[in-house]
Structure formats: C-alpha cells, structure tokens
PDB file of all heavy atoms in Angstrom:
ATOM      1  N   ALA U   8       0.826  -1.306  -0.036  1.00  0.00           N
ATOM      2  CA  ALA U   8       0.036  -0.049  -0.049  1.00  0.00           C
ATOM      3  C   ALA U   8       0.870   1.261   0.021  1.00  0.00           C
ATOM      4  O   ALA U   8       0.584   2.257  -0.776  1.00  0.00           O
ATOM      5  CB  ALA U   8      -0.961  -0.020   1.267  1.00  0.00           C
ATOM      6  N   VAL U   9       1.992   1.178   0.820  1.00  0.00           N
ATOM      7  CA  VAL U   9       2.868   2.407   0.842  1.00  0.00           C
ATOM      8  C   VAL U   9       3.531   2.593  -0.459  1.00  0.00           C
ATOM      9  O   VAL U   9       3.669   3.681  -0.999  1.00  0.00           O
ATOM     10  CB  VAL U   9       3.922   2.167   1.886  1.00  0.00           C
ATOM     11  CG1 VAL U   9       4.868   3.305   1.947  1.00  0.00           C
ATOM     12  CG2 VAL U   9       3.189   2.116   3.404  1.00  0.00           C
ATOM     13  N   ASP U  10       3.932   1.450  -1.095  1.00  0.00           N
ATOM     14  CA  ASP U  10       4.583   1.590  -2.453  1.00  0.00           C
ATOM     15  C   ASP U  10       3.693   2.133  -3.462  1.00  0.00           C
ATOM     16  O   ASP U  10       4.028   2.836  -4.347  1.00  0.00           O
ATOM     17  CB  ASP U  10       5.156   0.202  -2.883  1.00  0.00           C
ATOM     18  CG  ASP U  10       6.382  -0.343  -2.066  1.00  0.00           C
ATOM     19  OD1 ASP U  10       6.922   0.554  -1.333  1.00  0.00           O
ATOM     20  OD2 ASP U  10       6.642  -1.434  -2.055  1.00  0.00           O
ATOM     21  N   TRP U  11       2.426   1.672  -3.321  1.00  0.00           N
ATOM     22  CA  TRP U  11       1.427   2.090  -4.303  1.00  0.00           C
ATOM     23  C   TRP U  11       1.236   3.620  -4.289  1.00  0.00           C
ATOM     24  O   TRP U  11       1.229   4.459  -5.206  1.00  0.00           O
ATOM     25  CB  TRP U  11      -0.015   1.528  -4.102  1.00  0.00           C
ATOM     26  CG  TRP U  11      -1.145   2.156  -4.774  1.00  0.00           C
ATOM     27  CD1 TRP U  11      -1.466   2.050  -6.083  1.00  0.00           C
ATOM     28  CD2 TRP U  11      -1.973   3.246  -4.194  1.00  0.00           C
ATOM     29  NE1 TRP U  11      -2.595   2.935  -6.322  1.00  0.00           N
ATOM     30  CE2 TRP U  11      -2.857   3.636  -5.213  1.00  0.00           C
ATOM     31  CE3 TRP U  11      -2.028   3.869  -2.951  1.00  0.00           C
ATOM     32  CZ2 TRP U  11      -3.784   4.721  -5.027  1.00  0.00           C
ATOM     33  CZ3 TRP U  11      -2.958   4.851  -2.705  1.00  0.00           C
ATOM     34  CH2 TRP U  11      -3.830   5.196  -3.841  1.00  0.00           C
ATOM     35  N   PHE U  12       1.188   4.105  -3.029  1.00  0.00           N
ATOM     36  CA  PHE U  12       0.969   5.640  -2.800  1.00  0.00           C
ATOM     37  C   PHE U  12       2.210   6.397  -3.311  1.00  0.00           C
ATOM     38  O   PHE U  12       2.151   7.391  -3.950  1.00  0.00           O
ATOM     39  CB  PHE U  12       0.744   5.939  -1.318  1.00  0.00           C
ATOM     40  CG  PHE U  12       0.592   7.445  -1.133  1.00  0.00           C
ATOM     41  CD1 PHE U  12      -0.581   8.046  -1.307  1.00  0.00           C
ATOM     42  CD2 PHE U  12       1.591   8.091  -0.522  1.00  0.00           C
ATOM     43  CE1 PHE U  12      -0.693   9.351  -1.030  1.00  0.00           C
ATOM     44  CE2 PHE U  12       1.553   9.437  -0.219  1.00  0.00           C
ATOM     45  CZ  PHE U  12       0.371  10.093  -0.583  1.00  0.00           C
ATOM     46  N   LYS U  13       3.394   5.875  -2.973  1.00  0.00           N
ATOM     47  CA  LYS U  13       4.659   6.545  -3.399  1.00  0.00           C
ATOM     48  C   LYS U  13       4.760   6.501  -4.925  1.00  0.00           C
ATOM     49  O   LYS U  13       5.247   7.526  -5.507  1.00  0.00           O
ATOM     50  CB  LYS U  13       5.745   5.923  -2.780  1.00  0.00           C
ATOM     51  CG  LYS U  13       5.979   6.212  -1.255  1.00  0.00           C
ATOM     52  CD  LYS U  13       7.132   5.511  -0.642  1.00  0.00           C
ATOM     53  CE  LYS U  13       7.285   5.828   0.810  1.00  0.00           C
ATOM     54  NZ  LYS U  13       8.438   5.165   1.468  1.00  0.00           N
ATOM     55  N   GLY U  14       4.310   5.387  -5.544  1.00  0.00           N
ATOM     56  CA  GLY U  14       4.344   5.324  -6.955  1.00  0.00           C
ATOM     57  C   GLY U  14       3.429   6.305  -7.609  1.00  0.00           C
ATOM     58  O   GLY U  14       3.736   6.954  -8.799  1.00  0.00           O
ATOM     59  N   ALA U  15       2.294   6.563  -7.112  1.00  0.00           N
ATOM     60  CA  ALA U  15       1.213   7.347  -7.619  1.00  0.00           C
ATOM     61  C   ALA U  15       1.446   8.822  -7.323  1.00  0.00           C
ATOM     62  O   ALA U  15       1.222   9.669  -8.201  1.00  0.00           O
ATOM     63  CB  ALA U  15      -0.128   6.992  -7.016  1.00  0.00           C
ATOM     64  N   TYR U  16       2.008   9.158  -6.136  1.00  0.00           N
ATOM     65  CA  TYR U  16       2.193  10.640  -5.808  1.00  0.00           C
ATOM     66  C   TYR U  16       3.498  11.061  -5.321  1.00  0.00           C
ATOM     67  O   TYR U  16       3.696  12.223  -5.196  1.00  0.00           O
ATOM     68  CB  TYR U  16       1.143  10.861  -4.608  1.00  0.00           C
ATOM     69  CG  TYR U  16      -0.300  10.665  -5.048  1.00  0.00           C
ATOM     70  CD1 TYR U  16      -1.014   9.531  -4.728  1.00  0.00           C
ATOM     71  CD2 TYR U  16      -0.949  11.673  -5.805  1.00  0.00           C
ATOM     72  CE1 TYR U  16      -2.308   9.321  -5.129  1.00  0.00           C
ATOM     73  CE2 TYR U  16      -2.228  11.523  -6.193  1.00  0.00           C
ATOM     74  CZ  TYR U  16      -2.884  10.314  -5.857  1.00  0.00           C
ATOM     75  OH  TYR U  16      -4.221  10.207  -6.355  1.00  0.00           O
ATOM     76  N   GLY U  17       4.447  10.126  -5.278  1.00  0.00           N
ATOM     77  CA  GLY U  17       5.787  10.488  -4.782  1.00  0.00           C
ATOM     78  C   GLY U  17       6.469  11.469  -5.772  1.00  0.00           C
ATOM     79  O   GLY U  17       7.316  12.351  -5.227  1.00  0.00           O
ATOM     80  N   ASN U  18       6.179  11.565  -6.952  1.00  0.00           N
ATOM     81  CA  ASN U  18       6.801  12.430  -7.874  1.00  0.00           C
ATOM     82  C   ASN U  18       5.796  13.461  -8.567  1.00  0.00           C
ATOM     83  O   ASN U  18       6.056  14.114  -9.473  1.00  0.00           O
ATOM     84  CB  ASN U  18       7.481  11.718  -8.975  1.00  0.00           C
ATOM     85  CG  ASN U  18       8.645  10.801  -8.521  1.00  0.00           C
ATOM     86  OD1 ASN U  18       9.540  11.336  -7.782  1.00  0.00           O
ATOM     87  ND2 ASN U  18       8.667   9.595  -8.949  1.00  0.00           N
ATOM     88  N   ASP U  19       4.618  13.508  -7.914  1.00  0.00           N
ATOM     89  CA  ASP U  19       3.589  14.403  -8.375  1.00  0.00           C
ATOM     90  C   ASP U  19       3.873  15.875  -7.893  1.00  0.00           C
ATOM     91  O   ASP U  19       3.917  16.151  -6.734  1.00  0.00           O
ATOM     92  CB  ASP U  19       2.219  14.010  -7.820  1.00  0.00           C
ATOM     93  CG  ASP U  19       1.074  14.781  -8.411  1.00  0.00           C
ATOM     94  OD1 ASP U  19       1.276  15.914  -8.961  1.00  0.00           O
ATOM     95  OD2 ASP U  19      -0.130  14.263  -8.340  1.00  0.00           O
ATOM     96  N   PRO U  20       4.130  16.850  -8.830  1.00  0.00           N
ATOM     97  CA  PRO U  20       4.534  18.151  -8.425  1.00  0.00           C
ATOM     98  C   PRO U  20       3.371  18.969  -7.738  1.00  0.00           C
ATOM     99  O   PRO U  20       3.629  20.013  -7.116  1.00  0.00           O
ATOM    100  CB  PRO U  20       4.892  18.821  -9.743  1.00  0.00           C
ATOM    101  CG  PRO U  20       4.211  18.098 -10.805  1.00  0.00           C
ATOM    102  CD  PRO U  20       4.129  16.609 -10.271  1.00  0.00           C
ATOM    103  N   ALA U  21       2.117  18.409  -7.794  1.00  0.00           N
ATOM    104  CA  ALA U  21       1.035  19.032  -7.216  1.00  0.00           C
ATOM    105  C   ALA U  21       0.942  18.856  -5.742  1.00  0.00           C
ATOM    106  O   ALA U  21       0.184  19.491  -4.988  1.00  0.00           O
ATOM    107  CB  ALA U  21      -0.249  18.619  -7.873  1.00  0.00           C
ATOM    108  N   VAL U  22       1.716  17.805  -5.251  1.00  0.00           N
ATOM    109  CA  VAL U  22       1.503  17.457  -3.794  1.00  0.00           C
ATOM    110  C   VAL U  22       2.938  17.297  -3.164  1.00  0.00           C
ATOM    111  O   VAL U  22       3.955  16.953  -3.762  1.00  0.00           O
ATOM    112  CB  VAL U  22       0.768  16.177  -3.557  1.00  0.00           C
ATOM    113  CG1 VAL U  22      -0.732  16.346  -4.040  1.00  0.00           C
ATOM    114  CG2 VAL U  22       1.373  14.975  -4.253  1.00  0.00           C
ATOM    115  N   GLU U  23       2.980  17.576  -1.864  1.00  0.00           N
ATOM    116  CA  GLU U  23       4.096  17.212  -1.050  1.00  0.00           C
ATOM    117  C   GLU U  23       3.623  15.918  -0.239  1.00  0.00           C
ATOM    118  O   GLU U  23       3.046  16.085   0.797  1.00  0.00           O
ATOM    119  CB  GLU U  23       4.437  18.348  -0.064  1.00  0.00           C
ATOM    120  CG  GLU U  23       5.597  18.066   0.757  1.00  0.00           C
ATOM    121  CD  GLU U  23       5.916  19.268   1.840  1.00  0.00           C
ATOM    122  OE1 GLU U  23       5.731  20.377   1.456  1.00  0.00           O
ATOM    123  OE2 GLU U  23       6.143  18.994   2.959  1.00  0.00           O
ATOM    124  N   ALA U  24       3.996  14.820  -0.839  1.00  0.00           N
ATOM    125  CA  ALA U  24       3.443  13.560  -0.352  1.00  0.00           C
ATOM    126  C   ALA U  24       4.204  12.952   0.815  1.00  0.00           C
ATOM    127  O   ALA U  24       5.379  13.025   0.880  1.00  0.00           O
ATOM    128  CB  ALA U  24       3.384  12.507  -1.461  1.00  0.00           C
ATOM    129  N   SER U  25       3.393  12.371   1.807  1.00  0.00           N
ATOM    130  CA  SER U  25       4.024  11.756   2.947  1.00  0.00           C
ATOM    131  C   SER U  25       3.154  10.585   3.400  1.00  0.00           C
ATOM    132  O   SER U  25       2.004  10.481   2.847  1.00  0.00           O
ATOM    133  CB  SER U  25       4.315  12.705   4.039  1.00  0.00           C
ATOM    134  OG  SER U  25       3.017  13.313   4.503  1.00  0.00           O
ATOM    135  N   VAL U  26       3.677   9.841   4.230  1.00  0.00           N
ATOM    136  CA  VAL U  26       2.911   8.676   4.690  1.00  0.00           C
ATOM    137  C   VAL U  26       3.062   8.550   6.221  1.00  0.00           C
ATOM    138  O   VAL U  26       4.198   8.702   6.719  1.00  0.00           O
ATOM    139  CB  VAL U  26       3.423   7.264   4.126  1.00  0.00           C
ATOM    140  CG1 VAL U  26       2.607   6.031   4.662  1.00  0.00           C
ATOM    141  CG2 VAL U  26       3.307   7.324   2.567  1.00  0.00           C
ATOM    142  N   LEU U  27       1.929   8.295   6.929  1.00  0.00           N
ATOM    143  CA  LEU U  27       1.975   8.017   8.387  1.00  0.00           C
ATOM    144  C   LEU U  27       1.888   6.512   8.582  1.00  0.00           C
ATOM    145  O   LEU U  27       0.757   5.988   8.222  1.00  0.00           O
ATOM    146  CB  LEU U  27       1.000   8.709   9.196  1.00  0.00           C
ATOM    147  CG  LEU U  27       0.980   8.406  10.723  1.00  0.00           C
ATOM    148  CD1 LEU U  27       2.230   8.844  11.384  1.00  0.00           C
ATOM    149  CD2 LEU U  27      -0.285   8.925  11.325  1.00  0.00           C
ATOM    150  N   THR U  28       2.826   5.804   9.100  1.00  0.00           N
ATOM    151  CA  THR U  28       2.601   4.397   9.427  1.00  0.00           C
ATOM    152  C   THR U  28       2.737   4.251  10.969  1.00  0.00           C
ATOM    153  O   THR U  28       3.428   5.061  11.701  1.00  0.00           O
ATOM    154  CB  THR U  28       3.696   3.466   8.830  1.00  0.00           C
ATOM    155  OG1 THR U  28       5.036   3.925   9.138  1.00  0.00           O
ATOM    156  CG2 THR U  28       3.490   3.518   7.358  1.00  0.00           C
ATOM    157  N   LEU U  29       2.049   3.302  11.536  1.00  0.00           N
ATOM    158  CA  LEU U  29       2.039   3.110  12.983  1.00  0.00           C
ATOM    159  C   LEU U  29       2.549   1.787  13.422  1.00  0.00           C
ATOM    160  O   LEU U  29       2.690   1.433  14.668  1.00  0.00           O
ATOM    161  CB  LEU U  29       0.506   3.242  13.564  1.00  0.00           C
ATOM    162  CG  LEU U  29      -0.065   4.611  13.293  1.00  0.00           C
ATOM    163  CD1 LEU U  29      -1.612   4.511  13.704  1.00  0.00           C
ATOM    164  CD2 LEU U  29       0.630   5.704  13.993  1.00  0.00           C
ATOM    165  N   PHE U  30       2.836   0.908  12.425  1.00  0.00           N
ATOM    166  CA  PHE U  30       3.456  -0.435  12.703  1.00  0.00           C
ATOM    167  C   PHE U  30       4.879  -0.402  12.433  1.00  0.00           C
ATOM    168  O   PHE U  30       5.349   0.052  11.363  1.00  0.00           O
ATOM    169  CB  PHE U  30       2.796  -1.483  11.912  1.00  0.00           C
ATOM    170  CG  PHE U  30       1.351  -1.811  12.149  1.00  0.00           C
ATOM    171  CD1 PHE U  30       0.353  -1.125  11.647  1.00  0.00           C
ATOM    172  CD2 PHE U  30       1.064  -2.772  13.075  1.00  0.00           C
ATOM    173  CE1 PHE U  30      -1.037  -1.422  11.926  1.00  0.00           C
ATOM    174  CE2 PHE U  30      -0.245  -3.142  13.345  1.00  0.00           C
ATOM    175  CZ  PHE U  30      -1.304  -2.356  12.764  1.00  0.00           C
ATOM    176  N   THR U  31       5.766  -0.917  13.260  1.00  0.00           N
ATOM    177  CA  THR U  31       5.505  -1.382  14.634  1.00  0.00           C
ATOM    178  C   THR U  31       5.465  -0.218  15.602  1.00  0.00           C
ATOM    179  O   THR U  31       5.076  -0.485  16.764  1.00  0.00           O
ATOM    180  CB  THR U  31       6.558  -2.432  15.053  1.00  0.00           C
ATOM    181  OG1 THR U  31       7.845  -1.867  14.902  1.00  0.00           O
ATOM    182  CG2 THR U  31       6.463  -3.605  14.153  1.00  0.00           C
ATOM    183  N   LYS U  32       5.848   0.986  15.230  1.00  0.00           N
ATOM    184  CA  LYS U  32       5.753   2.113  15.921  1.00  0.00           C
ATOM    185  C   LYS U  32       5.561   3.284  14.961  1.00  0.00           C
ATOM    186  O   LYS U  32       5.895   3.106  13.732  1.00  0.00           O
ATOM    187  CB  LYS U  32       6.986   2.307  16.798  1.00  0.00           C
ATOM    188  CG  LYS U  32       8.266   2.428  16.072  1.00  0.00           C
ATOM    189  CD  LYS U  32       9.566   2.456  17.056  1.00  0.00           C
ATOM    190  CE  LYS U  32      10.830   2.611  16.165  1.00  0.00           C
ATOM    191  NZ  LYS U  32      11.964   2.619  17.146  1.00  0.00           N
ATOM    192  N   PRO U  33       5.185   4.440  15.354  1.00  0.00           N
ATOM    193  CA  PRO U  33       5.064   5.567  14.398  1.00  0.00           C
ATOM    194  C   PRO U  33       6.368   5.920  13.721  1.00  0.00           C
ATOM    195  O   PRO U  33       7.417   5.903  14.350  1.00  0.00           O
ATOM    196  CB  PRO U  33       4.562   6.693  15.392  1.00  0.00           C
ATOM    197  CG  PRO U  33       3.855   6.008  16.426  1.00  0.00           C
ATOM    198  CD  PRO U  33       4.621   4.732  16.804  1.00  0.00           C
ATOM    199  N   ASN U  34       6.194   6.246  12.475  1.00  0.00           N
ATOM    200  CA  ASN U  34       7.380   6.507  11.738  1.00  0.00           C
ATOM    201  C   ASN U  34       7.758   8.013  11.728  1.00  0.00           C
ATOM    202  O   ASN U  34       8.757   8.427  11.039  1.00  0.00           O
ATOM    203  CB  ASN U  34       7.190   6.140  10.253  1.00  0.00           C
ATOM    204  CG  ASN U  34       6.110   6.925   9.507  1.00  0.00           C
ATOM    205  OD1 ASN U  34       5.218   7.337  10.067  1.00  0.00           O
ATOM    206  ND2 ASN U  34       6.295   7.201   8.170  1.00  0.00           N
ATOM    207  N   VAL U  35       7.095   8.783  12.548  1.00  0.00           N
ATOM    208  CA  VAL U  35       7.429  10.169  12.828  1.00  0.00           C
ATOM    209  C   VAL U  35       7.569  10.352  14.301  1.00  0.00           C
ATOM    210  O   VAL U  35       6.851   9.728  15.134  1.00  0.00           O
ATOM    211  CB  VAL U  35       6.400  11.135  12.231  1.00  0.00           C
ATOM    212  CG1 VAL U  35       6.421  11.012  10.770  1.00  0.00           C
ATOM    213  CG2 VAL U  35       5.045  10.884  12.793  1.00  0.00           C
ATOM    214  N   PRO U  36       8.461  11.313  14.818  1.00  0.00           N
ATOM    215  CA  PRO U  36       8.631  11.423  16.207  1.00  0.00           C
ATOM    216  C   PRO U  36       7.533  12.079  16.945  1.00  0.00           C
ATOM    217  O   PRO U  36       7.336  11.845  18.112  1.00  0.00           O
ATOM    218  CB  PRO U  36       9.961  12.346  16.309  1.00  0.00           C
ATOM    219  CG  PRO U  36      10.030  13.030  14.989  1.00  0.00           C
ATOM    220  CD  PRO U  36       9.418  12.057  14.015  1.00  0.00           C
ATOM    221  N   ASP U  37       6.690  12.920  16.279  1.00  0.00           N
ATOM    222  CA  ASP U  37       5.609  13.646  16.936  1.00  0.00           C
ATOM    223  C   ASP U  37       4.425  13.566  15.975  1.00  0.00           C
ATOM    224  O   ASP U  37       4.293  14.329  15.000  1.00  0.00           O
ATOM    225  CB  ASP U  37       5.960  14.991  17.207  1.00  0.00           C
ATOM    226  CG  ASP U  37       4.904  15.867  18.077  1.00  0.00           C
ATOM    227  OD1 ASP U  37       3.719  15.409  17.995  1.00  0.00           O
ATOM    228  OD2 ASP U  37       5.323  16.806  18.742  1.00  0.00           O
ATOM    229  N   VAL U  38       3.477  12.613  16.196  1.00  0.00           N
ATOM    230  CA  VAL U  38       2.393  12.305  15.364  1.00  0.00           C
ATOM    231  C   VAL U  38       1.494  13.554  15.241  1.00  0.00           C
ATOM    232  O   VAL U  38       0.966  13.969  14.215  1.00  0.00           O
ATOM    233  CB  VAL U  38       1.651  11.067  15.765  1.00  0.00           C
ATOM    234  CG1 VAL U  38       0.304  10.928  14.934  1.00  0.00           C
ATOM    235  CG2 VAL U  38       2.409   9.771  15.592  1.00  0.00           C
ATOM    236  N   ARG U  39       1.253  14.210  16.369  1.00  0.00           N
ATOM    237  CA  ARG U  39       0.238  15.307  16.325  1.00  0.00           C
ATOM    238  C   ARG U  39       0.772  16.471  15.496  1.00  0.00           C
ATOM    239  O   ARG U  39       0.053  16.996  14.691  1.00  0.00           O
ATOM    240  CB  ARG U  39       0.098  15.794  17.847  1.00  0.00           C
ATOM    241  CG  ARG U  39      -0.861  17.038  17.907  1.00  0.00           C
ATOM    242  CD  ARG U  39      -1.026  17.456  19.366  1.00  0.00           C
ATOM    243  NE  ARG U  39      -1.817  18.625  19.491  1.00  0.00           N
ATOM    244  CZ  ARG U  39      -1.226  19.843  19.455  1.00  0.00           C
ATOM    245  NH1 ARG U  39       0.020  19.988  19.346  1.00  0.00           N
ATOM    246  NH2 ARG U  39      -2.006  20.932  19.466  1.00  0.00           N
ATOM    247  N   SER U  40       2.037  16.936  15.704  1.00  0.00           N
ATOM    248  CA  SER U  40       2.539  17.971  14.997  1.00  0.00           C
ATOM    249  C   SER U  40       2.596  17.585  13.507  1.00  0.00           C
ATOM    250  O   SER U  40       2.422  18.434  12.602  1.00  0.00           O
ATOM    251  CB  SER U  40       3.892  18.492  15.521  1.00  0.00           C
ATOM    252  OG  SER U  40       4.839  17.399  15.411  1.00  0.00           O
ATOM    253  N   PHE U  41       2.976  16.346  13.228  1.00  0.00           N
ATOM    254  CA  PHE U  41       3.079  15.952  11.889  1.00  0.00           C
ATOM    255  C   PHE U  41       1.774  16.099  11.122  1.00  0.00           C
ATOM    256  O   PHE U  41       1.732  16.581  10.038  1.00  0.00           O
ATOM    257  CB  PHE U  41       3.607  14.551  11.831  1.00  0.00           C
ATOM    258  CG  PHE U  41       3.681  13.877  10.397  1.00  0.00           C
ATOM    259  CD1 PHE U  41       4.606  14.240   9.464  1.00  0.00           C
ATOM    260  CD2 PHE U  41       2.663  12.917  10.056  1.00  0.00           C
ATOM    261  CE1 PHE U  41       4.611  13.617   8.190  1.00  0.00           C
ATOM    262  CE2 PHE U  41       2.658  12.338   8.732  1.00  0.00           C
ATOM    263  CZ  PHE U  41       3.681  12.669   7.934  1.00  0.00           C
ATOM    264  N   LEU U  42       0.742  15.578  11.739  1.00  0.00           N
ATOM    265  CA  LEU U  42      -0.627  15.548  11.126  1.00  0.00           C
ATOM    266  C   LEU U  42      -1.154  16.945  11.037  1.00  0.00           C
ATOM    267  O   LEU U  42      -1.759  17.300  10.051  1.00  0.00           O
ATOM    268  CB  LEU U  42      -1.541  14.623  11.802  1.00  0.00           C
ATOM    269  CG  LEU U  42      -1.219  13.154  11.680  1.00  0.00           C
ATOM    270  CD1 LEU U  42      -2.265  12.307  12.504  1.00  0.00           C
ATOM    271  CD2 LEU U  42      -1.251  12.802  10.242  1.00  0.00           C
ATOM    272  N   LEU U  43      -0.949  17.804  12.069  1.00  0.00           N
ATOM    273  CA  LEU U  43      -1.498  19.133  12.057  1.00  0.00           C
ATOM    274  C   LEU U  43      -0.838  19.964  10.904  1.00  0.00           C
ATOM    275  O   LEU U  43      -1.404  21.010  10.490  1.00  0.00           O
ATOM    276  CB  LEU U  43      -1.299  19.810  13.361  1.00  0.00           C
ATOM    277  CG  LEU U  43      -2.288  19.431  14.503  1.00  0.00           C
ATOM    278  CD1 LEU U  43      -1.848  19.972  15.829  1.00  0.00           C
ATOM    279  CD2 LEU U  43      -3.719  20.008  14.149  1.00  0.00           C
ATOM    280  N   ASN U  44       0.333  19.537  10.492  1.00  0.00           N
ATOM    281  CA  ASN U  44       1.068  20.277   9.418  1.00  0.00           C
ATOM    282  C   ASN U  44       0.578  19.870   7.999  1.00  0.00           C
ATOM    283  O   ASN U  44       0.937  20.457   7.043  1.00  0.00           O
ATOM    284  CB  ASN U  44       2.610  20.053   9.532  1.00  0.00           C
ATOM    285  CG  ASN U  44       3.387  20.954   8.607  1.00  0.00           C
ATOM    286  OD1 ASN U  44       3.206  22.178   8.609  1.00  0.00           O
ATOM    287  ND2 ASN U  44       4.261  20.242   7.817  1.00  0.00           N
ATOM    288  N   GLN U  45      -0.281  18.822   7.989  1.00  0.00           N
ATOM    289  CA  GLN U  45      -0.747  18.395   6.737  1.00  0.00           C
ATOM    290  C   GLN U  45      -1.947  19.282   6.308  1.00  0.00           C
ATOM    291  O   GLN U  45      -2.596  19.927   7.011  1.00  0.00           O
ATOM    292  CB  GLN U  45      -1.175  16.868   6.759  1.00  0.00           C
ATOM    293  CG  GLN U  45      -0.082  16.001   7.181  1.00  0.00           C
ATOM    294  CD  GLN U  45       1.189  16.076   6.287  1.00  0.00           C
ATOM    295  OE1 GLN U  45       1.083  16.177   5.055  1.00  0.00           O
ATOM    296  NE2 GLN U  45       2.327  16.127   6.932  1.00  0.00           N
ATOM    297  N   GLU U  46      -2.411  19.124   5.018  1.00  0.00           N
ATOM    298  CA  GLU U  46      -3.505  19.804   4.394  1.00  0.00           C
ATOM    299  C   GLU U  46      -4.654  18.917   3.952  1.00  0.00           C
ATOM    300  O   GLU U  46      -5.800  19.158   4.001  1.00  0.00           O
ATOM    301  CB  GLU U  46      -3.185  20.766   3.373  1.00  0.00           C
ATOM    302  CG  GLU U  46      -2.388  21.986   3.944  1.00  0.00           C
ATOM    303  CD  GLU U  46      -1.564  22.721   2.851  1.00  0.00           C
ATOM    304  OE1 GLU U  46      -0.966  22.066   2.053  1.00  0.00           O
ATOM    305  OE2 GLU U  46      -1.491  23.940   2.905  1.00  0.00           O
TER     306      GLU U  46
END
C-alpha cells in the first residue's frame, strides 16, 4: 500500500506527499505536529 501511494504521488509536483505508518511504531517522532502540518 505504501509503495502504491509513493508510485502514484511521490513524484507528483502538485503534492508534497508523505505517509504515516503506526506499525510497529510511528514513523514520525511527533504524530500530532506531523498531522497538524498536513492539508
């Protein structure tokens, strides 16, 4: 699923694409600030 998203949007100039994963632990140090920074 992650690879599908990166393939579809990773090089799309219209978006700044990112992924939040929670297994086995969150892939970002501060989930709240990371998500609040998204649109």
